[in-house]
Amino acid sequence: MSNVAVLDLGGGRAELRLPPGALPVLTDLRAVVADAFTAPDLHCLAAYVAVDSWAERRLLHETGFARDGVLRDWLPGPDGRRADAWVGTVLRDDPLEPPHPWPEVPELEAGGLLLRPWRDADVPRIVEGCADAESQHWLGQMPAAYTSDAARAWLQDSAERVAEGTAMNWAVVDPGDPDGPDLALGSVGWFDLTADVDCEVGYWTHPDARGRGVARRATEAVVAHAFGTLGVRRVRAFAAVDNVASRRVIEACGFELYGIERLGAWVRDGHVDMALYDRMGSPATTA
Ligand SMILES: CC(C)(COP(=O)(O)OP(=O)(O)OC[C@H]1O[C@@H](n2cnc3c(N)ncnc32)[C@H](O)[C@@H]1OP(=O)(O)O)[C@@H](O)C(=O)NCCC(=O)NCCS
């Protein structure tokens, strides 16, 4: 039926191994898992796949495996290097159904701009946007030597957070851009979510795209998404007190200043005071 292997590890534990190459179909994999649990003493079935093997991770998720974490350097690679492993498990009484819907990054309209999921092909634009002196100064937690590897690590981390449901980032593009309708102009996203309560928004724009309302329109679209689809009642936005451009974006998006946190912002040179803003949803959503 399929080349999926189930290895008995003893003590009520077993490991499921997917075949390299072509993946089994969902119904076959579910049948293998159900069959494994016909062994009366099996309690926990685990599967380990490379963290960036999103097709395998999604298949296991659809089969009912819950994400348990990431094991560093767990999987031996053909070139002698090791890869981090995503580990998921199914317990005997778990339903063979996805533990929650698989989160996807939706496309959003943003005042004539489009917010779309990031892609590997965007890496050069991410490097240019994040290696820029303004970005490097104000986003002091970014790697200082911003390379393609840093951009790929950021994409992987972003995808991980989407899968966890803890954050979401979009690439901003302008379908009417003469330089290309799919050219990434910047990044916008939400993070630090307290479900049903609040989240924070953040952004940067490519230096070539600044001063044409990209950050403002993109942020407005994410705020609307946060109040609507995500269902929070409050959105937060923070900027170093001297980051005039970012504060202007925040204020243009209707946020209100509610305080200054001393030494709350981490810029390249160290910690500086941070301006704290928030915006509430409509009365219907804040009730
Ligand atoms: C902050 C940043 C995202 C602004 O992006 P942008 O796309 O140029 O911003 P917008 O064009 O949407 O401008 C929105 C508003 O800010 C104003 N603005 C933008 N840059 C400005 C600047 N350098 N000085 C003063 N005002 C500025 C615009 O005039 C506009 O005001 P308006 O609505 O009254 O017309 C961009 O400068 C950037 O990436 N900076 C480095 C990274 C960063 O600081 N990120 C935020 C960390 S909190």
Side-chain angles (χ1 to χ4, degrees):
M1 180 170 60
S2 74
N3 293 321
V4 180
V6 175
L7 283 72
D8 184 358
L9 303 177
R13 301 163 305 144
E15 180 185 339
L16 179 135
R17 289 207 181 148
L18 295 174
L23 289 177
V25 297
L26 179 59
T27 46
D28 285 356
L29 189 58
R30 280 215 182 106
V32 169
V33 173
D35 185 61
F37 279 106
T38 60
D41 62 340
L42 179 61
H43 175 69
C44 179
L45 182 62
Y48 305 82
V49 297
V51 283
D52 56 356
S53 295
W54 288 98
E56 293 185 343
R57 286 178 59 169
R58 181 159 189 176
L59 177 65
L60 290 164
H61 167 90
E62 300 294 342
T63 309
F65 283 79
R67 174 193 192 279
D68 281 326
V70 170
L71 300 178
R72 293 179 299 159
D73 283 354
W74 183 258
L75 296 172
D79 53 0
R81 298 204 305 189
R82 294 180 167 274
D84 292 350
W86 173 92
V87 58
T89 54
V90 185
L91 302 183
R92 165 168 286 283
D93 295 329
D94 288 345
L96 299 186
E97 296 293 336
H100 53 77
W102 182 260
E104 310 252 25
V105 179
E107 287 195 348
L108 301 179
E109 200 280 331
L113 305 174
L114 180 70
L115 310 189
R116 63 149 172 83
W118 284 102
R119 304 186 187 122
D120 290 346
D122 296 317
V123 162
R125 292 289 287 180
I126 297 170
V127 172
E128 289 167 17
C130 295
D132 160 71
E134 291 276 312
S135 301
Q136 279 287 311
H137 177 71
W138 294 118
L139 298 167
Q141 73 278 22
M142 277 185 181
Y146 206 96
T147 60
S148 300
D149 282 349
R152 277 189 280 272
W154 180 72
L155 288 179
Q156 173 63 25
D157 185 60
S158 295
E160 201 66 59
R161 287 163 189 256
V162 170
E164 289 169 354
T166 55
M168 198 167 277
N169 275 305
W170 287 262
V172 190
V173 302
D174 180 353
D177 193 330
D179 292 331
D182 199 45
L183 188 69
L185 303 177
S187 172
V188 64
W190 60 259
F191 55 99
D192 202 7
L193 171 71
T194 299
D196 304 323
V197 181
D198 65 1
C199 66
E200 185 177 337
V201 289
Y203 42 76
W204 53 260
T205 50
H206 189 284
D208 291 350
R210 290 182 187 155
R212 57 189 242 212
V214 169
R216 178 182 54 75
R217 287 181 282 170
T219 302
E220 279 175 351
V222 170
V223 169
H225 176 79
F227 286 137
T229 309
L230 190 57
V232 295
R233 296 154 61 193
R234 172 181 181 245
V235 178
R236 293 172 272 113
F238 303 150
V241 289
D242 292 334
N243 190 348
V244 176
S246 185
R247 293 186 66 175
R248 188 67 210 112
V249 171
I250 293 169
E251 288 164 8
C253 290
F255 287 81
E256 289 178 28
L257 183 72
Y258 68 88
I260 301 291
E261 183 182 346
R262 285 174 288 186
L263 300 181
W266 181 6
V267 300
R268 184 60 56 190
D269 304 336
H271 284 78
V272 297
D273 293 353
M274 180 158 73
L276 311 174
Y277 292 85
D278 67 5
R279 187 176 145 182
M280 302 301 288
S282 66
T285 56
T286 57

